Amino acid sequence: MFTGLVQAVGQLQRWSGGVELLVTAESGLDPTALALGDSVAVDGVCLTVTQRSAHGFKADVSEETLARTTLAAKADRRGWVNLEPALRLADRLGGHLVSGHVDGQGTVVAVEQQPASWRLVLRWNNPAYGRYVCEKASVAVDGISLTVADCSADGAEFWIAVIPHTWSSTTLQQLRVGDAVNLEADLLAKYTERLLAWRAQPGEASGSGRSEGTITPGWLAEHGWS
């Protein structure tokens, strides 16, 4: 799990087994502090460290990940990516719960500099994911925990007010209209939708305290939500 608070940026390139991250010496991430098997969010994609050196680390990447995210295109051009090591249980949760499992890509619609922030307008490539977006909701954009300022009626298009610190310390400053970004919707919204859509399976015990298609007070109490 991650918080969406980026600790460093690195340069991505391909290697035979997947991708390689090159981290500069002045970066906030020390590659030598990583252990083999550690998880690192790379532009919001949870990857596993398979090799490491003083200059960076390598990670295997599946075909599914390459197809769903921007990593393939960025690796081909040695693009810059946001990096965040996995969350420790004792760490402050300064952003929101980010799994590192990208839902899909979005497109930059507009980038506007304002007196105290930048207005970043994005649109889901698959509008169906707009159902997870609402005003003041959390969303991970290239691994960065951000707050939705407002959105269209269907949530497919939304905009974010980016403060100067976030703008200057992440790859957001490199975005241009038409660029692709990795998007992960709020984890809690997806789990809530799944629970509410659940239907009782044949043979379920009648004493579950839950009627088909609903969540009742009895069911909640039975599962620790009293």
Side-chain angles (χ1 to χ4, degrees):
M1 298 296 293
F2 307 91
T3 66
L5 300 185
V6 171
Q7 294 190 15
V9 294
Q11 195 170 25
L12 188 68
Q13 64 182 21
R14 283 188 182 268
W15 73 290
S16 58
V19 295
E20 181 177 12
L21 273 298
L22 303 176
V23 183
T24 60
E26 62 272 13
S27 169
L29 177 66
D30 178 9
T32 62
L34 297 172
L36 297 183
D38 277 358
S39 295
V40 179
V42 179
D43 256 11
V45 184
C46 179
L47 298 180
T48 300
V49 176
T50 58
Q51 297 182 40
R52 62 186 176 87
S53 69
H55 307 292
F57 64 93
K58 293 180 178 179
D60 298 327
V61 183
S62 69
E63 292 80 3
E64 155 72 9
T65 299
L66 291 174
R68 189 179 286 261
T69 71
T70 62
L71 293 189
K74 283 199 171 183
D76 287 340
R77 65 173 187 271
R78 292 174 63 92
W80 291 89
V81 291
N82 299 309
L83 302 174
E84 181 193 357
L87 173 69
R88 295 184 179 91
L89 288 179
D91 288 344
R92 290 188 178 93
L93 185 60
H96 72 283
L97 289 174
V98 177
S99 69
H101 302 157
V102 170
D103 291 305
Q105 295 185 33
T107 301
V108 177
V109 176
V111 181
E112 303 168 5
Q113 185 172 1
Q114 299 183 326
S117 65
W118 278 261
R119 184 176 186 269
L120 178 62
V121 184
L122 303 170
R123 183 171 186 82
W124 285 95
N125 290 354
N126 182 352
Y129 285 106
R131 67 187 185 274
Y132 301 122
V133 177
C134 64
E135 185 180 357
K136 303 309 175 188
S138 294
V139 63
V141 180
D142 280 346
I144 308 164
S145 174
L146 296 169
T147 302
V148 175
D150 204 356
C151 62
S152 59
D154 63 357
E157 185 170 302
F158 57 96
W159 74 272
I160 295 163
V162 184
I163 62 173
H165 172 77
T166 303
W167 187 262
S168 63
S169 59
T170 69
T171 60
L172 291 181
Q173 61 185 298
Q174 301 173 9
L175 291 179
R176 300 293 183 267
V177 173
D179 283 353
V181 293
N182 295 321
L183 296 176
E184 180 187 332
D186 190 347
L187 198 63
L188 296 179
K190 291 184 285 187
Y191 278 127
T192 301
E193 178 188 54
R194 180 67 173 173
L195 284 170
L196 292 174
W198 189 85
R199 293 293 183 268
Q201 299 300 311
E204 181 186 19
S206 59
S208 64
R210 182 182 188 279
S211 60
E212 184 174 346
T214 63
I215 293 179
T216 67
W219 184 89
L220 288 171
E222 182 183 337
H223 289 81
W225 295 93
S226 57

